[in-house]
Amino acid sequence: MWSTAREIAAGDTVIIWLASLFTRDLLQPLVISPGKDFNSKYGNYRHSDFIGLPFGSKVGSRTGKGFIHILRPTPELWTLALPHRTQILYIADISLIISYLDIRRGSRVIEAGTGSGSFSHSVARTIGPTGHLWSYEFHEVRAEKARSEFAQHGISEFVTLTHQNVCKDGFNLTDAADSVFLDLPAPWDAVPHAKQAMRKDRTTRICCFSPCMEQVLRTVNALNDAGFSDITMYETLVRSHDVSQVPVLQTVAEVSDRLKSAEAVREVKRLRQIAAGQRTHEPHGEKRKRGEETRGQELPPPLALAEAEDCGNGKRLRADDEMMDDTTEGDVSRSLDESATTTRAGASTPVLPAKISVSKAMFEVRGHTSYLTFATLLPPMPLAPEGAPSQGLPPSL
Ligand code: SAM
């Protein structure tokens, strides 16, 4: 699948990464064809100049203005760069489907429709040349285009593309596939054909990808009618996590010292704000209380403030330092380094890791693509030999 050589050669498919500081990243596929030029707003390049360069090279334009990177294709990059002929699957859904269909090296998989081939490339990498992908597409031009891309990308030996309407004519296979993936407007019409194409000597799995709940319900009915079990629907949604590494103190004693110092600094900050008249949004009672407290009380002189800001151990803590308690807002999870349980050599107190990762989940959840309906097809139960006791319920019940 694609070139595994270190250097770029004529005829290779590459992914051009047109990165800019000011715009979002752009990815574009390119077949290296000596004699041709590549022109973009990031400069002018000759394909022949790329030949012999290692994949991943950064190349400056001929005019000296602008640069590009030339990347080796992967299914993930191909999904982001491919020419769209249809809506496509993206990696969040693709990875869930591949894993829940138990697709692995050597698997025999059916896919319909092929569309732009986004899912096909990830499956092809997973199954490798010892597996097989049967891909079906009833739109002739799309089928032809996908077929030539599969050949260009070196996967056509184990990816067979058939131009066929699978809802009407099925898959021309019997007891052959370990798993089936249907990305069709009416997957329920293809479910009985899929059952015929699936192996019966082992447990097999199917997944149907549909954007609407009405389609899901029709698919679930068809799966039930065809004898599938374990029918489960998933939706992949993207939730961003803001992850950062924050330093922590090394011993329990140091942590305790620092908490005390932080309390002192907060108090100083509070008094400063009162002096500057900044605390205007406090509850009325609080304000009055503070007024009483500060009446007749002198504000700390600048030197005293500086001392209070000193952590007592020579380390200086600024009043606007983010303390750990600031991270407890929202959904915070912490993953401790492996060193969390270790003890510093010679120290009698336990040692905390030097840094921990803190992640804060963003509330916005993006990206309904489709619902993923999975189901299992179990091998038929072997028939009990004649005269053997029945395993079912006694007829009297
Ligand atoms: N999964 C693909 C990908 O990741 O690039 C996208 C598939 S696209 C959304 C759906 C494709 O199914 C279309 O190209 C359409 O022509 C094809 N299709 C629809 N009904 C079909 C049928 N009955 N038999 C075969 N292909 C069909």
Side-chain angles (χ1 to χ4, degrees), residues 112-182:
T114 315
S116 307
S118 170
F119 182 71
S120 327
H121 282 81
S122 284
V123 174
R125 179 186 55 190
T126 307
I127 63 177
T130 54
H132 203 94
L133 172 65
W134 291 278
S135 187
Y136 298 80
E137 172 58 58
F138 79 168
H139 188 286
E140 193 168 4
V141 178
R142 283 180 208 151
E144 268 316 307
K145 191 75 190 97
R147 190 175 286 123
S148 76
E149 278 173 2
F150 294 166
Q152 167 78 30
H153 301 166
I155 57 175
S156 47
E157 265 179 36
F158 57 100
V159 179
T160 311
L161 199 147
T162 307
H163 170 225
Q164 183 151 305
N165 181 344
V166 297
C167 294
K168 197 165 139 282
D169 302 317
F171 300 95
N172 316 331
L173 294 168
T174 304
D175 300 347
D178 298 311
S179 48
V180 174
F181 173 62
L182 302 178

Side-chain angles (χ1 to χ4, degrees), residues 249-255 340-344 347-353:
L249 294 157
Q250 293 295 290
T251 65
V252 171
E254 281 171 331
V255 171
T341 54
T342 60
T343 316
R344 192 197 282 164
S348 55
T349 45
V351 177
L352 293 170

Side-chain angles (χ1 to χ4, degrees), residues 5 25 41 61 72 142 187 193 195 223 324 340 359 376 385:
D25 297 346
K41 65 175 179 178
S61 85
R72 186 193 304 282
R142 283 180 208 151
H193 300 297
K195 182 179 178 180
L223 290 167
M324 294 307 296
S359 99
T376 301

Side-chain angles (χ1 to χ4, degrees), residues 68-281:
I68 56 173
H69 288 85
I70 312 175
L71 308 180
R72 186 193 304 282
T74 62
E76 289 79 9
L77 287 176
W78 184 250
T79 285
L80 295 174
L82 60 77
H84 283 222
R85 302 180 282 274
T86 59
Q87 292 202 337
I88 65 162
L89 262 75
Y90 289 92
I91 291 301
D93 287 311
I94 292 174
S95 50
L96 186 86
I97 297 163
I98 289 187
S99 121
Y100 278 35
L101 286 183
D102 199 21
I103 297 174
R104 54 178 81 183
R105 203 104 191 129
S107 291
R108 296 156 75 78
V109 183
I110 287 175
E111 145 190 74
T114 315
S116 307
S118 170
F119 182 71
S120 327
H121 282 81
S122 284
V123 174
R125 179 186 55 190
T126 307
I127 63 177
T130 54
H132 203 94
L133 172 65
W134 291 278
S135 187
Y136 298 80
E137 172 58 58
F138 79 168
H139 188 286
E140 193 168 4
V141 178
R142 283 180 208 151
E144 268 316 307
K145 191 75 190 97
R147 190 175 286 123
S148 76
E149 278 173 2
F150 294 166
Q152 167 78 30
H153 301 166
I155 57 175
S156 47
E157 265 179 36
F158 57 100
V159 179
T160 311
L161 199 147
T162 307
H163 170 225
Q164 183 151 305
N165 181 344
V166 297
C167 294
K168 197 165 139 282
D169 302 317
F171 300 95
N172 316 331
L173 294 168
T174 304
D175 300 347
D178 298 311
S179 48
V180 174
F181 173 62
L182 302 178
D183 183 2
L184 302 168
W188 50 88
D189 286 333
V191 164
H193 300 297
K195 182 179 178 180
Q196 186 190 336
M198 292 164 88
R199 287 173 66 170
K200 309 294 180 307
D201 58 338
R202 50 159 290 175
T203 301
T204 50
R205 304 265 290 153
I206 189 169
C207 173
C208 304
F209 187 80
S210 300
C212 314
M213 195 48 80
E214 290 71 22
Q215 289 169 306
V216 172
L217 294 176
R218 287 190 74 168
T219 303
V220 169
N221 286 338
L223 290 167
N224 265 322
D225 292 347
F228 284 82
S229 56
D230 190 20
I231 302 170
T232 316
M233 195 273 286
Y234 296 87
E235 184 184 19
T236 315
L237 296 171
V238 178
R239 164 168 276 187
S240 309
H241 281 252
D242 187 13
V243 180
S244 53
Q245 290 248 307
V246 294
V248 293
L249 294 157
Q250 293 295 290
T251 65
V252 171
E254 281 171 331
V255 171
S256 156
D257 278 357
R258 182 146 180 187
L259 285 174
K260 281 184 211 151
S261 309
E263 187 52 44
V265 169
R266 263 198 290 273
E267 183 60 11
V268 168
K269 197 175 174 186
R270 187 177 71 79
L271 291 173
R272 272 183 178 167
Q273 284 174 337
I274 291 167
Q278 286 174 0
R279 280 188 179 253
T280 53
H281 300 297

